[in-house]
Amino acid sequence: ELGKDVLTVCQMADIVFLALHGSCGEDGRIQATLDLLGVPYTGSGYLGSGMAMDKSVTKRFLESEGIRTAPWRDVHYTASDIPRLVEELEVPCAVKIVNGGSPVSAVDTKEELSQALRELLRYGNHVIVEKKIKGREIQIAVLGDTYLPAVEIIPRGEYFDYVSKYQKGGAQEICPAPITEEEWHQIGEMALKLHR
């Protein structure tokens, strides 16, 4: 929620530097509002932001562009669907609410899957379920028409979870990541392709 007179202040600015987090900040609504007010801002526009905030839309774009992504399934469900889904879905997996950043559950057993599906109903009835892939967390930011140096994120715990992402000391970030130049370019080109 925006504070009192925030949009009035934004209208007086030459440019707004977006440093937003969460659904209202990342889903394109603020960008669309600034567009309507004619206020320039940094970062992606409302359409790209909104599409990227939806994990299902993002996964579809990844696949359509031939960018490798974990096998996944788009799931709309109610509490009564959970027993069937627990039987159908493979574990280990990650269950993610489609339009939120942090509500993610990494599960290894059918019991954990059932619990995750029940807990995530608090955030909505649409999730993606991805095959859990053990590997390194390499992130590359895109700025304009180029990609930046790679960052490797090494969580203190077993997974890059909420604590690892948001709590001080939850993860170690190494930049530039200890990868080959070829790997950096490969990942960077995929990031740039998806961004475009």
Side-chain angles (χ1 to χ4, degrees), residues 59-69 190 193:
K59 294 287 272 188
R60 291 175 201 282
F61 268 94
L62 286 163
E63 290 179 336
S64 72
E65 293 298 320
I67 299 171
R68 293 181 302 176
T69 186
M190 287 188 285
K193 186 175 186 181

Side-chain angles (χ1 to χ4, degrees), residues 17-47:
F17 287 85
L18 296 180
L20 302 166
H21 184 68
S23 58
C24 196
E26 294 179 68
D27 66 5
R29 286 184 274 175
I30 297 296
Q31 294 89 330
T33 302
L34 293 173
D35 283 345
L36 288 170
L37 295 173
V39 177
Y41 53 87
T42 60
S44 298
Y46 71 91
L47 184 59

Side-chain angles (χ1 to χ4, degrees), residues 91-117:
V91 292
C93 64
V95 185
K96 305 175 181 182
I97 195 78
V98 293
N99 60 356
S102 298
V104 174
S105 293
V107 301
D108 293 308
T109 66
K110 293 287 189 175
E111 293 76 23
E112 290 173 343
L113 176 58
S114 177
Q115 181 181 353
L117 290 169

Side-chain angles (χ1 to χ4, degrees), residues 138-152:
I138 306 290
Q139 295 190 1
I140 295 185
V142 171
L143 182 61
D145 285 324
T146 190
Y147 50 89
L148 301 179
V151 177
E152 180 168 13

Side-chain angles (χ1 to χ4, degrees), residues 137 152-157 160 164 170-174 178:
E137 180 80 25
E152 180 168 13
I153 300 172
I154 303 170
R156 298 280 183 223
F160 185 48
S164 297
Q172 179 185 12
E173 297 182 5
I174 302 169

Side-chain angles (χ1 to χ4, degrees), residues 106-135:
V107 301
D108 293 308
T109 66
K110 293 287 189 175
E111 293 76 23
E112 290 173 343
L113 176 58
S114 177
Q115 181 181 353
L117 290 169
R118 287 186 198 293
E119 286 177 9
L120 289 177
L121 274 173
R122 292 184 300 158
Y123 302 99
N125 66 346
H126 187 190
V127 297
I128 64 166
V129 180
E130 289 180 315
K131 179 180 181 178
K132 192 193 305 182
I133 296 175
K134 192 82 168 147

